[in-house]
Amino acid sequence: MTDTNQLFSRLTAIKHCVSGNVDYTDCTVTLQNEPFRHVMLHKLLDEQFYMNLKNELLQLKFYPKECDLFKLRQSCDLGNIGLIDDDADDDDDDDDDDDLESLKLFVQFLKIDLKSWICSVFDIQLTDEVNVSGSIYNQTDYLLCHDDKLEGRKIAFIYYLVDEDWNGWKDGGNLRLFSCFGENFTPRQEPCKIISPSSNTFVMFEVVPGSYHDVSEVLTNRSPRLALSGWFHTANSFKRSDEITDPVPSAHKMCRDLDLDQFVPWVNDSYVDQTDIDRILRIRQAFEDESILELNDFFTSEWIEAVFNTKEKWFRLPANQCPVFARYKRLDEKSGLFGLLLGLMRHEMMFALLCQLTGVDLHPDSTALLSFGEEQTPQRCGELSYCCEFELRKIEKGFYSILTDRHKSQKSPNLSNGKMINGTTKHENANFKEEDDGFSLYLHSFFLPKGTWDETWGGFVVYVDEEGEEIQRIIPKHNCLTLAYVDSETKSFLKYVNGCAGNNVYYHLIGRFYVDTE
């Protein structure tokens, strides 16, 4: 299978380099210490065994795995496929096990020979537990930035079984390592080390604070990125002390003294018009029934033109953006367009309009607004602040956001019918009270320079419940304002935009409206 003598003959030299934090390389082993210690074992297995192993792996059933963080196909856990030893009784093995003899031998090699070598090189103790599974990354598959730090994991590994001519720069699927800064080991926006998949190469690294890495999108459809990957474990427990947080956009209070020309020129007259009460009531009823609402042609052509004409230099990757949470360009607050957007979003008329269309308490005079002046808003208990947060993003291939808990502790508005997007019920309540914590009205509007967007490119917004199950998908539609009323357990993410999007881009206005106590 492999000549382990070659590995162990280099043990003393490699251990010396590890203890001295010095890089090492020869035709068999490469050890590098930046951005965190990782080792590559080249041409690990003899050619015939390698081919047998690859053929056996391709016989297995691979299951599609997809969420905010990744998209790939994966086999079952192979760590207990069977440990072969001199005393094993093969009479009990079924035909399927006999067909996977090379896989069983490889797992044995991991658990005995390679584990022993790793313990010696890194001067660590590992348990007998080894997780290993097969993975297939096809075109558009990926794994976003993460650090692998879960209880017990000590050494992460990946063994490549790709074609001999795989070229990571052209075919994708690279393992990318990130350097970190700060006491919480925050990864930088761009990777500092790229390891291209190479056939018959075994890559491993220590799972430590700051061991952030990803797998870049596979770009080719001629062959899959085939690998065996997993973790060696330790019995030592740990408590995370390096938690990083996703920055929250600035909050802006509703402003009642802004000029009408900061709102009226940008919103379609048909939504501002208060004379067609029946139409407003129909819209409100639709929202109360579903807790989600689409309003076509919400913004004027003048607003869309202002967005499209804003120079590229004003859309930048935010300096505080972390690849663990997101990657997208955001409108700079120093731009002229941001000034227009700030006036629009915090304008009293925006809060009043959203209140009327949805029935959500987003205005001091909500009762009067909802009754078209027939009732007066009762005296409130305590002071309330009506607030919004917003960003205008530019989305292109390679951009995404993942699920976070950024808004879990903040207050939110009351909805008259007591529903939210996850389908559960909130008690009817005329005034904001403590039990209303965690409800928000989210606004999504997309501006597409080419008019359409293909769902297969990604780039859609997904809402999931507390179990992680998808409950709503918002596909980018040009100048369509989507409103969604959600609770604190309902989170959303922006699906990774894959390379099939090409040069297509869109602009995404996302806002959150809520009530806070002073």
Side-chain angles (χ1 to χ4, degrees):
M1 183 172 74
T2 186
D3 184 4
T4 56
N5 290 329
Q6 290 191 49
L7 288 177
F8 282 92
S9 67
R10 294 162 168 80
L11 194 58
T12 301
I14 297 171
K15 288 179 64 175
H16 178 74
C17 290
V18 168
S19 62
N21 208 38
V22 177
D23 291 351
Y24 174 92
T25 186
D26 63 26
C27 61
T28 302
V29 181
T30 297
L31 162 71
Q32 295 182 322
N33 293 283
E34 297 295 336
F36 45 87
R37 185 169 294 136
H38 54 282
V39 176
M40 289 171 278
L41 306 179
H42 310 289
K43 300 301 177 185
L44 180 66
L45 306 177
D46 67 62
E47 185 174 350
Q48 186 57 56
F49 187 88
Y50 170 81
M51 292 306 301
N52 292 341
L53 180 64
K54 185 173 182 177
N55 291 334
E56 287 182 11
L57 186 58
L58 289 171
Q59 293 176 25
L60 299 180
K61 183 177 291 186
F62 285 79
Y63 304 90
K65 305 286 185 179
E66 185 170 4
C67 66
D68 58 325
L69 189 64
F70 53 75
K71 177 176 173 284
L72 69 153
R73 301 182 72 86
Q74 189 177 51
S75 75
C76 61
D77 189 351
L78 305 173
N80 295 315
I81 194 171
L83 188 63
I84 310 288
D85 56 42
D86 292 338
D87 299 322
D89 184 1
D90 292 334
D91 293 338
D92 295 331
D93 289 345
D94 56 28
D95 292 338
D96 290 336
D97 286 340
D98 291 340
D99 291 340
L100 303 177
E101 194 69 18
S102 297
L103 267 171
K104 293 169 68 178
L105 284 169
F106 181 77
V107 172
Q108 177 186 7
F109 169 67
L110 289 177
K111 291 186 172 183
I112 299 176
D113 300 272
L114 202 50
K115 173 189 164 186
S116 174
W117 189 85
I118 292 170
C119 289
S120 297
V121 167
F122 294 106
D123 192 23
I124 56 176
Q125 294 297 316
L126 298 173
T127 67
D128 292 334
E129 181 182 3
V130 179
N131 295 129
V132 57
S133 60
S135 64
I136 288 178
Y137 286 71
N138 291 313
Q139 187 179 30
T140 74
D141 289 353
Y142 59 90
L143 173 61
L144 299 178
C145 185
H146 64 291
D147 66 359
D148 271 2
K149 277 187 71 66
L150 291 178
E151 185 70 26
R153 292 178 179 178
K154 185 60 180 176
I155 300 291
F157 66 85
I158 181 166
Y159 177 59
Y160 293 112
L161 296 103
V162 295
D163 291 351
E164 284 283 345
D165 60 349
W166 188 279
N167 182 330
W169 303 106
K170 180 177 65 175
D171 300 326
N174 295 314
L175 175 64
R176 309 193 305 174
L177 311 183
F178 293 76
S179 62
C180 295
F181 65 92
E183 295 180 354
N184 288 343
F185 300 94
T186 302
R188 301 185 187 280
Q189 289 184 349
E190 305 295 341
C192 65
K193 178 67 181 293
I194 296 177
I195 301 174
S196 178
S198 179
S199 64
N200 201 7
T201 297
F202 191 96
V203 179
M204 71 184 93
F205 59 85
E206 289 185 271
V207 178
V208 296
S211 55
Y212 286 99
H213 59 285
D214 71 11
V215 175
S216 66
E217 179 187 349
V218 170
L219 305 175
T220 183
N221 61 2
R222 63 180 178 83
S223 66
R225 178 189 183 272
L226 181 66
L228 286 160
S229 58
W231 300 272
F232 293 91
H233 290 256
T234 179
N236 298 329
S237 62
F238 75 94
K239 182 178 180 180
R240 290 198 73 122
S241 59
D242 59 337
E243 294 288 354
I244 56 179
T245 56
D246 184 20
V248 177
S250 300
H252 303 279
K253 292 184 179 180
M254 183 188 76
C255 188
R256 307 191 75 165
D257 57 1
L258 295 175
D259 294 336
L260 284 176
D261 62 8
Q262 292 181 268
F263 176 85
V264 173
W266 312 126
V267 178
N268 193 311
D269 288 342
S270 64
Y271 293 106
V272 181
D273 182 13
Q274 297 292 297
T275 60
D276 192 348
I277 295 177
D278 288 342
R279 179 172 182 264
I280 295 174
L281 291 176
R282 287 195 301 271
I283 292 173
R284 188 189 304 170
Q285 187 62 53
F287 184 76
E288 290 178 353
D289 290 342
E290 301 296 335
S291 290
I292 192 162
L293 180 67
E294 288 188 351
L295 302 174
N296 293 313
D297 299 319
F298 184 83
F299 292 100
T300 62
S301 58
E302 288 80 7
W303 173 257
I304 298 170
E305 184 178 350
V307 173
F308 289 168
N309 288 341
T310 299
K311 293 182 179 179
E312 174 65 24
K313 70 176 184 178
W314 293 116
F315 289 93
R316 304 166 180 165
L317 295 175
N320 63 347
Q321 190 178 78
C322 174
V324 171
F325 301 116
R327 183 177 177 85
Y328 55 79
K329 293 178 181 177
R330 185 178 66 196
L331 179 66
D332 193 292
E333 294 185 4
K334 296 179 181 179
S335 67
L337 182 63
F338 184 86
L340 297 178
L341 184 58
L342 179 61
L344 171 65
M345 294 294 281
R346 68 189 184 117
H347 202 289
E348 179 187 9
M349 288 190 66
M350 177 62 85
F351 283 79
L353 179 60
L354 295 179
C355 176
Q356 278 203 327
L357 294 177
T358 65
V360 176
D361 177 7
L362 280 173
H363 193 278
D365 299 326
S366 59
T367 302
L369 286 166
L370 294 174
S371 65
F372 301 96
E374 294 184 4
E375 300 178 30
Q376 295 302 310
T377 302
Q379 185 67 33
R380 302 280 181 158
C381 299
E383 294 297 324
L384 303 178
S385 291
Y386 295 86
C387 305
C388 69
E389 303 163 359
F390 62 87
E391 290 182 329
L392 181 59
R393 305 169 174 177
K394 186 174 184 181
I395 305 300
E396 55 194 58
K397 65 181 179 183
F399 287 5
Y400 60 89
S401 70
I402 71 163
L403 299 171
T404 68
D405 294 319
R406 55 158 57 170
H407 293 124
K408 194 153 186 165
S409 63
Q410 291 178 297
K411 315 284 188 187
S412 303
N414 176 61
L415 178 64
S416 62
N417 77 329
K419 290 185 179 179
M420 75 289 292
I421 200 174
N422 67 0
T424 60
T425 300
K426 183 168 78 70
H427 297 297
E428 184 174 348
N429 186 4
N431 295 321
F432 178 86
K433 294 183 180 179
E434 190 65 27
E435 61 263 29
D436 290 328
D437 287 8
F439 297 89
S440 298
L441 181 69
Y442 277 88
L443 172 156
H444 298 274
S445 190
F446 305 92
F447 309 107
L448 283 60
K450 296 187 179 180
T452 59
W453 184 265
D454 192 325
E455 185 178 352
T456 63
W457 301 340
F460 45 83
V461 176
V462 178
Y463 279 92
V464 301
D465 60 21
E466 56 187 292
E467 303 298 326
E469 295 297 321
E470 179 177 335
I471 54 178
Q472 189 69 48
R473 179 176 296 195
I474 303 174
I475 310 298
K477 293 169 60 177
H478 181 57
N479 196 18
C480 178
L481 184 77
T482 301
L483 299 172
Y485 187 67
V486 303
D487 67 0
S488 62
E489 299 300 326
T490 304
K491 305 178 182 68
S492 67
F493 65 91
L494 178 72
K495 184 63 175 175
Y496 175 88
V497 181
N498 61 57
C500 293
N503 294 325
N504 288 279
V505 303
Y506 68 79
Y507 300 87
H508 179 198
L509 174 60
I510 178 172
R512 173 177 177 258
F513 291 80
Y514 62 98
V515 181
D516 204 355
T517 55
E518 293 184 336

